[in-house]
Amino acid sequence: MTEASMYSPFLAITLAAVATYAARAAGAFLSGKIGTESAVIDWITCVTYALLAGLVVRMIWMPIGALAATPDWMRFVAAGTGLAVFIVARKSVGLGVLSGTLTLIALTWNAF
Amino acid sequence: MISVEVLIVALHYARSLPNRSLIMTDTSPPVTPSAFSTPPAAFWGGAREAAGVPMMVMGASFVGFGSMIHDLNWSVWHALFSTLSTWALPGQIAMAEMAYTGAPLAALVLAVGFINARLLPLVVSLLPHVRRADVAMWKYYAVAMLIAATSWVGTMRRLPDLRQDQRLHYLTGYGLALYLNMPLATVIGFYIAGQVPLPITLALVFLNPLYFLLLFLFDLHNAAKVLSLAFGAVLGPLLYQVAPDWSLIVTGLVGGTAAWWIGRSPWGRRVQDTWLKREVRHD
């Protein structure tokens, strides 16, 4: 079903779900035993931020699926528009996302 | 057709409201202690409070996820199963990206594990508010499944004002209302992607990366977090060219650890105190 992977999506989904619930269960276990301000938790937060920042830039710059067929500049302009509106509208995430996605629709409307 | 577009626009627009709740400025009506008459009333009250802006925002993200899964040519069952079993969107998106690009399972599990490790401190900080001597242990493990960023933000400030015997009910109602509606949003997103013109599908798939991007830029008050974002944004695409399979996990470990270490150094502390405002803690 996927192009490159050797394993079934269900296996990937199941393992991701187990890894996710592990964090929740560990939280339930540790709740009341540890504080939420520790160097380890700060470190985990930093790793998460770096990982997700890398993923987000990659998804915009080198997307997979149908987005991969769009020219880079369209995605950059769409993201840039969203970012500009976000800043002008005093950090409105909603308006930023709305304008960015609408820009992408406008740019791709006659391109496909 | 028009109605679908209106729906999409409405869902997008709903996102303008959540960031207010994300920074925890209080926009909810003033809270009176023990606002509910009975524990069951607290359950339904929690569900009602979730069924507004929080559900719209979260729903829009899961609509985007459903569209993404459709775009990758996976089945609706994959989308549904992932939402029901994981119910934490950034991890689900990373999982789909990595599985699609053929990353090894070990890299995939590590990446999702790290991304969703952010749930650990959320659970640790929320559960003490609902803990009572006469509640069975398994209930905490069950309700932990209902804790995600949205439900944490929505319930955290409310719980201390409620009577002790109503808090677990309130949290369960709030979390369950969100949890039970996200499979619906996922399926809607999946089938919208197959029905609307391609540009709208593209926009739905584009929605989550853009949302996360802006969410990250919302709070730039912590030196270590800002550095993590900068390192990640540079290392992510770079390493993907060199070693696509392990690039995400290496990006996180190298970029995040370096940022964390610099943030703790005397230089990092000086930057924090001089240039950045005192951190407002939220997750």
Side-chain angles (χ1 to χ4, degrees):
Chain A
M1 197 166 292
T2 58
E3 281 160 9
S5 64
M6 301 291 149
Y7 44 85
S8 91
F10 271 114
L11 183 59
I13 295 167
T14 305
L15 290 175
V18 171
T20 303
Y21 185 71
R24 291 190 169 111
F29 179 77
L30 292 172
S31 143
K33 299 188 178 78
I34 64 165
T36 50
E37 310 235 352
S38 78
V40 176
I41 285 175
D42 285 346
W43 175 72
I44 289 175
T45 305
C46 286
V47 172
T48 303
Y49 267 57
L51 206 162
L52 284 176
L55 179 64
V56 163
V57 171
R58 195 177 103 188
M59 287 175 82
I60 293 173
W61 187 6
M62 312 161 186
I64 58 175
L67 267 179
T70 58
D72 285 350
W73 71 266
M74 286 188 185
R75 279 173 271 115
F76 293 158
V77 169
T81 306
L83 188 59
V85 169
F86 166 79
I87 292 168
V88 171
R90 287 184 304 165
K91 291 190 174 182
S92 166
V93 176
L95 288 179
V97 172
L98 179 67
S99 56
T101 47
L102 286 179
T103 303
L104 189 69
I105 292 176
L107 290 175
T108 55
W109 196 257
N110 287 317
F112 290 95
Chain B
M1 183 61 68
I2 298 235
S3 63
V4 170
E5 290 182 47
V6 168
L7 171 71
I8 293 165
V9 169
L11 285 173
H12 285 190
Y13 189 70
R15 287 165 171 272
S16 62
L17 301 161
N19 58 62
R20 313 243 185 299
S21 64
L22 266 171
I23 51 169
M24 300 203 287
T25 47
D26 214 339
T27 51
S28 64
V31 169
T32 45
S34 308
F36 303 109
S37 47
T38 59
F43 175 89
W44 292 110
R48 247 190 337 270
E49 281 173 33
V53 172
M55 194 178 286
M56 296 265 281
V57 181
M58 204 181 196
S61 279
F62 276 90
V63 166
F65 175 71
S67 300
M68 177 190 181
I69 293 298
H70 184 277
D71 181 43
L72 301 185
N73 289 320
W74 287 12
S75 80
V76 70
W77 301 109
H78 292 127
L80 204 52
F81 177 48
S82 177
T83 294
L84 278 169
S85 63
T86 307
W87 200 62
L89 199 63
Q92 287 173 254
I93 287 173
M95 178 277 298
E97 273 266 338
M98 293 180 80
Y100 187 81
T101 55
L105 275 177
L108 187 150
V109 172
L110 270 176
V112 175
F114 265 108
I115 290 172
N116 287 335
R118 83 209 144 80
L119 295 172
L120 191 152
L122 298 191
V123 177
V124 166
S125 57
L126 192 56
L127 283 189
H129 292 289
V130 299
R131 194 174 288 285
R132 269 155 56 90
D134 58 339
V135 173
M137 223 21 226
W138 67 266
K139 288 187 178 171
Y140 298 122
Y141 285 92
V143 84
M145 184 67 201
L146 303 177
I147 298 175
T150 306
S151 53
W152 186 88
V153 170
T155 57
M156 189 65 175
R157 55 185 176 177
R158 188 89 155 83
L159 283 172
D161 295 327
L162 296 179
R163 252 176 35 210
Q164 278 285 344
D165 63 337
Q166 298 183 348
R167 293 179 182 180
L168 187 58
H169 292 81
Y170 175 82
L171 175 61
T172 308
Y174 197 103
L176 215 51
L178 290 176
Y179 178 82
L180 292 176
N181 277 287
M182 291 314 113
L184 184 67
T186 306
V187 172
I188 289 174
F190 188 91
Y191 285 113
I192 283 181
Q195 304 295 322
V196 295
L198 185 60
I200 295 179
T201 303
L202 293 176
L204 285 171
V205 177
F206 195 65
L207 188 151
N208 276 313
L210 183 57
Y211 178 49
F212 291 151
L213 177 76
L214 298 185
L215 220 46
F216 280 139
L217 297 176
F218 194 85
D219 170 34
L220 298 175
H221 295 317
N222 178 293
K225 284 184 186 170
V226 174
L227 281 173
S228 301
L229 293 176
F231 291 167
V234 173
L235 280 178
L238 219 67
L239 290 174
Y240 187 62
Q241 318 269 15
V242 187
D245 285 358
W246 289 87
S247 62
L248 274 185
I249 191 73
V250 174
T251 296
L253 286 174
V254 173
T257 306
W260 173 78
W261 186 76
I262 295 174
R264 293 167 66 84
S265 70
W267 182 82
R269 286 179 198 282
R270 206 161 54 239
V271 169
Q272 177 73 51
D273 294 339
T274 319
W275 298 101
L276 302 163
K277 287 180 216 149
R278 211 165 59 78
E279 184 192 6
V280 187
R281 257 192 103 88
H282 74 87
D283 288 271

